[in-house]
């Protein structure tokens, strides 16, 4: 605050003495070297000398003393200001009249470190200004004008509050009384661009620190991101396939499978793996359906428990209402006071309202069950009339129960014997309703068994049809096997005859350069290959073609075979120098003429 740095308040003096003892108050202020002042601003000791105190050697306390380093706290507006004379080397500062209002100041600019000082003596120099204001703190710069004012920039903001403390003081240079050597100081906030720039830089730094702190807090409370999905490989595929079979890891595995399919990992090579994983995922449908059925069963059991509990609560409500009705009869009603009768009537109304609400809720549950049963029985047209009749019966029962409740309310003002008869009739009706419920449950069970039997019969018929198809397929396969056996026997006879005819041929082949049927096949394939290549081909090129057909063929075997058949294959040299190459050509047509 602006006023906080100007005056030293009495509240800043730590003391625990009561104000009712003026002598103790004066002693405490005398020990601190201050003039004893009361709450009204009047001196408690008029002849007090501030240079003398009970603690000798301690000068009077002054907030502007060098080395004290305190900022005077703000004073209440009703407290008088206590300012002291300040002695410097080349000047003296006299405090203003304490009864005058404090000097006015402008609004403090943000980050203000510069003050305006007006009312300086005409003969005042920068050294005198430095001597006066360096007690407030470190002075960075002084800009003095010729018109008896200056601007002083301090190192810190709190030093400005100390400098404002001197506003209103009268300054005298030395002991001179000349007008040029005296003046009245006016200290106020000054707006400087350097102060504003430093303040903005500091605010930006604080904002950066706050953003960094907020970001750290957000990162600390942010939930961890899910782990990245691994890339597809045969190993990862086997791992995911195993996880798909495990119920506890199924969710994680199915997410990985979905990501792989969306990434486009399915191709011809991996299609079988993905199909097996999709098949294992499909096998979980039955498990999920079973879990859903188990939960539905639990829900039905919970509904039954709720219904039983609600019926028990209704019975207790009926008993409570019966107690209220019996208490409201004249035999017992006359013995209660007026307040007690009022409370009993109010309680009776509340209990009847709650009982009716619970009764409506129970009836709604029963209607829902009957509606569900009627929806299930709509499929059978023969039982439509029965469902309508059951719905009418349920409505009649609902009307009966409402009529009974009204009758109970009217009969509550009769005698106790009638009330007991009504309770007995209600108990018998409850037994009838329980029997009807048991019959309905048995009917539902029979209907379910009939539906199950129909399903089993349909499955049995399907299986019989499948068996007939399998038998027909088996007969067809047996006929095909018999035909194949007959064809094999006929082929074996033909082969035997051909072998007998080819025996002399083989004898003639034994003398030829071709020694086996495999070599004959090789000669035919090589001849066909070289016929397609009229300019010839190297032995490596020929062997590379043959090795596609049979990887066991070697180059040496092919070359030996071709050298033996000189009338069929011919080797020629093509190229010059380093590009010289041996090429084999097919010359079977020319060799046929020569032989």
């Amino acid at each position: 605050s602006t006023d906080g740095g100007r005056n030293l308040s009495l509240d800043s003096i730590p003391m625990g003495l009561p104000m009712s003892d003026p002598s103790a108050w004066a002693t405490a202020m005398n020990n601190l070297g201050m003039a004893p002042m009361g709450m009204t601003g009047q001196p408690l000791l008029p002849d007090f000398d501030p240079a003398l105190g009970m603690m000798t050697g301690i000068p009077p306390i002054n907030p502007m003393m060098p080395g004290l380093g305190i900022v005077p706290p703000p004073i209440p507006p009703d407290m008088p200001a206590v300012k002291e004379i300040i002695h410097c080397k080349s000047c003296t500062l006299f405090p203003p009249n304490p009864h005058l209002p404090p000097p006015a100041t402008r609004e403090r600019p943000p980050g203000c470190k510069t003050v305006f000082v007006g009312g300086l003596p005409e003969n005042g120099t920068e050294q005198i200004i430095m001597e006066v204001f360096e007690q407030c703190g470190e002075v960075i710069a002084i800009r003095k004008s010729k018109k008896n004012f200056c601007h002083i920039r301090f190192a810190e903001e709190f030093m400005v509050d100390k400098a404002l403390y001197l506003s209103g003081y009268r300054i005298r240079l030395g002991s001179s009384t000349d007008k040029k050597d005296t003046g009245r100081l006016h200290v106020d906030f000054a707006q400087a661009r350097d102060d504003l720039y430093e303040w903005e830089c500091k605010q930006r730094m604080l904002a950066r620190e706050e953003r960094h702190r907020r970001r750290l807090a957000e990162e600390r409370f942010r939930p961890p991101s899910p782990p990245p999905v691994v890339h597809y490989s045969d190993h990862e595929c086997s791992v995911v396939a195993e996880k798909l079979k495990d119920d506890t890891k199924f969710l994680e595995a199915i997410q990985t499978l979905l990501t792989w399919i969306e990434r486009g990992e399915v191709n011809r090579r991996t299609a079988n793996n993905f199909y097996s994983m999709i098949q294992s995922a499909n096998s979980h449908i039955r498990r999920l359906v079973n879990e859903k059925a188990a939960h539905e069963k639990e829900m039905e059991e919970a509904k039954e428990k709720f219904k039983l509990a609600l019926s028990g609560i209704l019975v207790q409500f009926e008993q409570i209402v019966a107690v209220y009705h019996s208490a409201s009869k004249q035999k017992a009603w006359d013995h209660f006071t007026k307040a007690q009768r009022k409370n009993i009537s109010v309680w009776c109304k509340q209990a009847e309202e709650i009982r009716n609400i619970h009764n409506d809720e129970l009836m709604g549950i029963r209607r829902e069950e009957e509606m569900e049963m009627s929806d299930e029985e709509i499929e059978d047209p023969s039982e439509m009339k029965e469902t309508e009749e059951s719905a009418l019966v349920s409505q009649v029962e609902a009307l009966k129960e409402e009529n009974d409740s009204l009758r109970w309310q009217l009969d509550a003002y009769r005698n106790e014997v009638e009330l007991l008869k009504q309770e007995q009739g209600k108990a018998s009706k409850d037994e009838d309703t329980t029997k009807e419920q048991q019959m309905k449950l048995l009917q539902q069970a029979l209907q379910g068994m009939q539906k199950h039997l129909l399903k089993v019969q349909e499955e049995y018929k399907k299986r019989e049809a499948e068996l007939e198809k399998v038998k027909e397929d088996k007969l067809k396969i047996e006929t095909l096997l018999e035909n194949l056996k007959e064809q094999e026997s006929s082929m074996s006879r033909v082969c035997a005859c051909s072998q007998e005819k080819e025996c002399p041929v083989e004898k003639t082949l034994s003398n030829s350069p071709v020694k086996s049927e495999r070599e004959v096949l090789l000669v035919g394939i090589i001849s066909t290959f070289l016929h397609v290549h009229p300019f010839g081909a190297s032995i490596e090129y020929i062997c590379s073609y043959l090795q596609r057909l049979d990887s066991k063929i070697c180059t040496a075997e092919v070359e030996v075979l071709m050298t033996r058949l000189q009338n069929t294959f011919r080797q020629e040299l093509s190229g010059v120098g380093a590009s010289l190459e041996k090429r084999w050509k097919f010359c079977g047509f020319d060799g046929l003429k020569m032989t």
Side-chain angles (χ1 to χ4, degrees), residues 9 61 123 152 165 202 331 346 435 438 457 492 549:
S9 142
I61 290 178
N123 295 334
I152 303 173
Y165 179 79
K202 188 176 180 181
K331 189 186 293 184
V346 170
K435 288 180 181 179
Q438 290 176 359
Q457 287 177 358
S492 61
L549 305 173

Side-chain angles (χ1 to χ4, degrees), residues 443-573:
Q443 287 176 359
Q444 289 178 0
L446 287 171
Q447 289 173 0
M449 290 293 290
Q450 288 175 358
K451 290 179 181 178
H452 184 66
L453 284 171
L454 290 172
K455 288 180 182 177
V456 170
Q457 287 177 358
E458 289 176 357
E459 289 180 359
Y460 180 70
K461 289 178 181 179
K462 289 180 182 177
R463 296 289 172 85
E464 282 184 348
E466 289 176 359
L467 282 172
E468 289 178 358
K469 288 181 182 178
V470 169
K471 286 179 181 178
E472 291 176 358
D473 294 338
K474 187 177 179 183
L475 290 171
K476 290 179 182 178
I477 291 166
E478 287 178 355
T479 53
L480 288 172
L481 284 172
E482 290 176 358
N483 294 331
L484 288 172
K485 285 179 181 179
E486 291 175 358
Q487 290 177 2
E488 285 179 0
S489 62
S490 61
M491 288 293 291
S492 61
R493 291 172 189 171
V494 171
C495 290
C497 295
S498 63
Q499 284 178 2
E500 290 175 359
K501 292 177 182 178
E502 288 176 359
C503 284
V505 178
E506 288 180 358
K507 290 177 182 177
T508 57
L509 285 173
S510 61
N511 298 324
S512 66
V514 181
K515 297 180 180 179
S516 64
E517 187 178 357
R518 184 170 181 273
E519 290 183 354
V520 172
L521 291 171
L522 286 174
V523 169
I525 294 166
I526 294 167
S527 301
T528 306
F529 180 76
L530 291 176
H531 184 65
V532 177
H533 297 79
F535 296 103
S538 63
I539 189 69
E540 289 82 7
Y541 187 24
I542 296 167
C543 288
S544 66
Y545 175 73
L546 292 173
Q547 283 173 356
R548 292 182 188 174
L549 305 173
D550 188 3
S551 60
K552 297 180 181 178
I553 295 172
C554 60
T555 308
E557 179 185 359
V558 175
E559 193 170 5
V560 169
L561 179 62
M562 293 174 73
T563 51
R564 271 190 281 159
L565 302 171
Q566 295 180 358
N567 294 327
T568 309
F569 305 107
R570 182 174 66 249
Q571 189 177 16
E572 293 182 356
L573 296 174

Side-chain angles (χ1 to χ4, degrees), residues 146-160:
K146 296 178 181 179
K147 295 184 179 180
N148 302 332
F149 71 89
C150 69
H151 289 86
I152 303 173
R153 190 163 190 261
F154 293 99
E156 299 294 338
E157 293 183 26
F158 69 89
M159 298 174 184
V160 174

Side-chain angles (χ1 to χ4, degrees), residues 218-236:
E218 289 175 357
E219 290 177 357
R220 188 164 58 251
F221 291 109
R222 186 183 296 129
S225 58
V229 179
V230 295
H231 292 282
Y232 176 82
S233 64
D234 293 337
H235 173 68
E236 295 295 337

Side-chain angles (χ1 to χ4, degrees), residues 132-146:
V132 172
F133 285 95
E134 69 181 355
Q135 302 178 56
C136 302
E138 182 183 355
V139 177
I140 294 177
I142 296 176
R143 292 189 294 274
K144 189 175 182 300
S145 176
K146 296 178 181 179

